[in-house]
Structure formats: C-alpha cells, structure tokens
Amino acid sequence: MEKEYTYTLEIKVRDYECDAQGIVNNANYQHYFEYARHEFLEYAGCPFAEIRKMGIEPVVARIEIDYKSPLHGGEKCLCRLNAKREGIKFVFYEDIYRMGDGRLCTSAKVTTVCLRDGRPVKGDELAGKLGQYLTE
C-alpha cells in the first residue's frame, strides 16, 4: 500500500458474498468498488443524490478488473481510490487490499461519463465539486 490515495473505505466481507469455494464471488468486487465511489462522493461533499438533483446522471461506461488474491468471509479490506478527469470522462482507479497482510487483492479502472437527458455532457458541475480530489 505504498501508493498515495485520495480516499480509503474499510469493508468487511460478509459470508453471503462468498461462493462455494469460500472466497468472494468475482461479481461482488464490483459492489465494493461502487460502494467506495459513492462513499467517496459523499466524503467530497457531493453525494450521489445531489449530483442527480443537478440533472446529471453519472453512469459507468467501462470497468476493467484485475483479480490478484482472494478475500474470504469475515476478512476486512481497504478499498482505496483516486479519481481523474479525462475529457468528458471521470476515471476511478480503485485497489482493494486485505487488512490482515496488506496484500493487493483486486484492482479496477472504472470509467464513468455524465449524462443529461440521456446525452453525454462534460460534467463541469461535478468537476467543480470534486476539483481538489481529482488527481493529475
């Protein structure tokens, strides 16, 4: 965990998120990443509901996930992220580390776009709210 991150969220793995092998089902990592992004927006003073009140609908356009080491039921992990603006896209770089040993479990690059009335927009209002938290 030597990288610098803008935001960190602690998550406890619940047993029902695990598959028959006793490890977190791969689809549940997307839930962890989404949960961390929503909590980050609230932390940054721009809760998801407020964004929607501005008439903006942030949506995921692409997710790339690399699975490194599995998490098991009852383990705690840290979902850490950085956010960056690339043109009209907001890109979130998210890593999940096991708390017990600090091992990287999963990494994701989540690309989002903002829509207004179903059409892509630059999301300047969102960028203004998140400005200090966006990395270069």
Side-chain angles (χ1 to χ4, degrees):
M1 289 190 287
E2 297 173 15
K3 271 186 357 186
E4 296 270 334
Y5 293 92
T6 303
Y7 181 74
T8 299
L9 177 69
E10 182 179 318
I11 298 171
K12 182 178 179 184
V13 176
R14 294 161 295 243
D15 291 333
Y16 67 83
E17 297 168 332
C18 298
D19 59 22
Q21 297 167 307
I23 60 176
V24 172
N25 180 280
N26 60 24
N28 284 314
Y29 289 98
Q30 286 192 48
H31 293 283
Y32 298 161
F33 292 131
E34 183 170 12
Y35 178 42
R37 288 192 309 278
H38 282 246
E39 291 295 308
F40 163 70
L41 291 172
E42 190 169 317
Y43 166 82
C46 193
F48 198 77
E50 184 179 315
I51 297 168
R52 295 193 70 229
K53 285 180 186 174
M54 291 188 285
I56 298 173
E57 296 290 342
V59 296
V60 172
R62 180 180 178 86
I63 296 179
E64 301 170 50
I65 300 176
D66 294 317
Y67 300 95
K68 307 287 188 181
S69 181
L71 286 166
H72 300 85
E75 289 185 318
K76 290 183 180 178
C77 60
L78 298 175
C79 187
R80 308 185 82 191
L81 69 78
N82 285 313
K84 183 177 180 181
R85 189 170 186 198
E86 295 178 1
I88 67 166
K89 301 172 189 172
F90 291 87
V91 182
F92 295 85
Y93 297 91
E94 299 183 70
D95 295 321
I96 295 178
Y97 294 91
R98 183 181 301 105
M99 287 182 65
D101 60 8
R103 187 168 187 173
L104 177 63
C105 296
T106 314
S107 291
K109 177 181 176 185
V110 182
T111 303
T112 63
V113 294
C114 295
L115 303 178
R116 178 171 285 149
D117 298 322
R119 294 200 162 129
V121 294
K122 289 176 65 176
D124 288 334
E125 304 95 323
L126 181 57
K129 295 252 184 195
L130 298 178
Q132 66 178 330
Y133 300 104
L134 297 174
T135 61
E136 295 297 317

